[in-house]
Amino acid sequence: MSFSFGFGGDEADGDNAGTPAPPGSKPNTETRSDGTPVKEHTVEELIATLPDHFSYSTVRIESPTGRELFLPRRDLHDVRVQLLQEGPENDHIIDQIGTSDLRSGVYEGGFKTWECSLDLASLLLDRGPRKDIDELIRCDQIIELGVGTALPTLVLFQHALLNTIPLTFTLADYNDTVLRLVTLPNLLLTWAATTKQGDFATIKLDSDSTGDFDLSPELVARFLTDLKSMEIRLRFLSGSWSPALANLIPASGFDYGTVILAAETIYSPESTEAFTELLCVLLKRVKMSKAMIAAKRMYFGVGGSVDGLKSACRERGAVAYEIENHGVPGMDSGVGRALVEVQMY
């Protein structure tokens, strides 16, 4: 089944499309009952698939209190070029980028920057620096489900880099192609911009910033060294939301918390059920855990809704409540959107 949500302003990409393990180690793989593999990918494995340089532009994040952040993000046109160069095995992905927002079981929209991911990133821009996202300093794992372009994660990743906060970022998307072509490149770009690597040493990012990022072996080595010295770990998981995926996500350490992020993951009743089941499995593992979810109040034509999320959580012993008076810019315009926190009873 393929479809486009058809909401004005859904696409935040300038291209306007139609969403460590030790080196050499064998990635973990689990298989669902239907045979679909759920797999862990190492940083080194994903970096090895990237070109020597790729183009980027910037996205502006504005917080409820007026804080402003410009994040570099790989251009979608650049992604298309790489997919074409890699060969016809990517034709089905290229077709979906151009014709639909997602196709269930084929492409889940990860190359797009969805407007609700901007809402969540905006909220986190204030919460992270104030260290009150459930006491971030006592949180040892950030999980983003349906990570795509990773904007919410990038806000906290930058915060961890600036403040040398040891964290594990577990980033999951249905498509491994999304992880390697946008999720990881965007993390690399955020690291380079934050630590002033390469051209970023002399560039002050703003809404008009564009450029080409040179990914040299020396820069890759510096990136991996920085992550190791700061005790920041990146884990990448591909596959469907399922018990198999949960098995590849370890629980947080003793007396530490987990924060789970997600945006635009409840677009249909089926996706809401699968997402909520996985979410509650993860939340039950750690006493100090919370999920922060951004979504449209109603996905017209496909049936997902915030009310459906609340009901699915309630059936599993969790409580989902909207964040009131959040003040995120633009949330009251167009199709209604919400920010929801979820915890176990």
Side-chain angles (χ1 to χ4, degrees):
M1 176 184 180
S2 64
F3 54 82
S4 175
F5 292 138
F7 295 125
D10 242 350
E11 177 56 68
D13 285 308
D15 295 274
N16 193 30
T19 183
S25 64
K26 183 179 179 181
N28 291 326
T29 302
E30 296 255 358
T31 302
R32 294 175 57 211
S33 58
D34 65 2
T36 304
V38 176
K39 186 177 181 181
E40 179 170 6
H41 309 267
T42 67
V43 176
E44 292 81 4
E45 169 196 343
L46 298 182
I47 285 181
T49 70
L50 294 177
D52 294 335
H53 66 272
F54 48 84
S55 63
Y56 69 87
S57 54
T58 53
V59 59
R60 176 178 174 270
I61 310 295
E62 181 185 355
S63 79
T65 62
R67 290 175 55 88
E68 192 175 57
L69 174 65
F70 294 97
L71 291 172
R73 171 188 57 178
R74 188 180 186 185
D75 285 333
L76 186 55
H77 171 75
D78 201 70
V79 172
R80 282 198 189 98
V81 170
Q82 184 174 348
L83 287 169
L84 286 168
Q85 291 174 341
E86 289 178 349
E89 64 270 17
N90 292 322
D91 286 351
H92 64 295
I93 295 292
I94 297 170
D95 290 344
Q96 294 308 312
I97 293 174
T99 60
S100 63
D101 286 341
L102 61 87
R103 183 179 179 185
S104 182
V106 177
Y107 165 64
E108 291 289 337
F111 290 122
K112 291 184 64 171
T113 296
W114 299 88
E115 62 182 349
C116 287
S117 69
L118 292 169
D119 294 338
L120 184 52
S122 174
L123 184 69
L124 294 171
L125 182 55
D126 272 340
R127 289 202 171 193
R130 292 205 316 264
K131 297 183 181 179
D132 69 353
I133 179 172
D134 289 313
E135 299 294 337
L136 183 59
I137 201 68
R138 293 192 58 77
C139 169
D140 69 349
Q141 182 168 208
I142 304 294
I143 300 169
E144 186 168 356
L145 302 175
V147 62
T149 57
L151 289 187
T153 286
L154 295 180
V155 171
L156 296 182
F157 180 58
Q158 188 213 44
H159 182 56
L161 290 170
L162 288 173
N163 295 277
T164 318
I165 299 175
L167 278 174
T168 294
F169 290 89
T170 298
L171 309 173
D173 198 276
Y174 183 85
N175 298 100
D176 58 359
T177 310
V178 168
L179 295 174
R180 69 183 180 88
L181 296 187
V182 292
T183 308
L184 177 58
N186 288 351
L187 287 160
L188 278 161
L189 287 165
T190 294
W191 164 79
T194 303
T195 59
K196 303 299 182 183
Q197 303 291 327
D199 291 343
F200 288 111
T202 58
I203 294 174
K204 180 177 174 59
L205 289 176
D206 59 30
S207 57
D208 297 320
S209 296
T210 60
D212 287 321
F213 180 68
D214 292 321
L215 188 64
S216 66
E218 294 77 19
L219 199 69
V220 169
R222 203 173 306 142
F223 174 67
L224 296 175
T225 299
D226 274 5
L227 293 182
K228 183 176 181 180
S229 66
M230 296 181 190
E231 297 182 72
I232 295 175
R233 187 181 181 199
L234 303 178
R235 302 182 68 242
F236 300 90
L237 304 175
S238 63
S240 302
W241 295 321
S242 66
L245 184 63
N247 291 341
L248 293 181
I249 302 177
S252 291
F254 178 75
D255 206 27
Y256 280 90
T258 296
V259 174
I260 303 172
L261 309 174
E264 308 271 20
T265 53
I266 59 166
Y267 55 85
S268 70
E270 294 78 13
S271 67
T272 300
E273 287 295 311
F275 170 75
T276 308
E277 183 67 26
L278 173 60
L279 181 67
C280 290
V281 167
L282 296 174
L283 289 174
K284 288 175 182 176
R285 292 178 175 179
V286 182
K287 184 177 181 181
M288 292 188 299
S289 62
K290 175 182 285 189
M292 305 178 71
I293 301 162
K296 294 181 176 66
R297 294 192 178 278
M298 172 65 72
Y299 290 85
F300 296 101
V302 284
S305 68
V306 169
D307 285 344
L309 171 66
K310 292 177 181 177
S311 176
C313 287
R314 189 163 53 247
E315 291 171 0
R316 292 166 174 82
V319 57
Y321 49 92
E322 294 184 36
I323 304 170
E324 301 294 341
N325 300 319
H326 38 71
V328 173
M331 282 193 64
D332 294 329
S333 62
V335 176
R337 309 196 301 275
L339 289 163
V340 180
E341 293 191 356
V342 180
Q343 291 179 294
M344 300 308 297
Y345 282 119

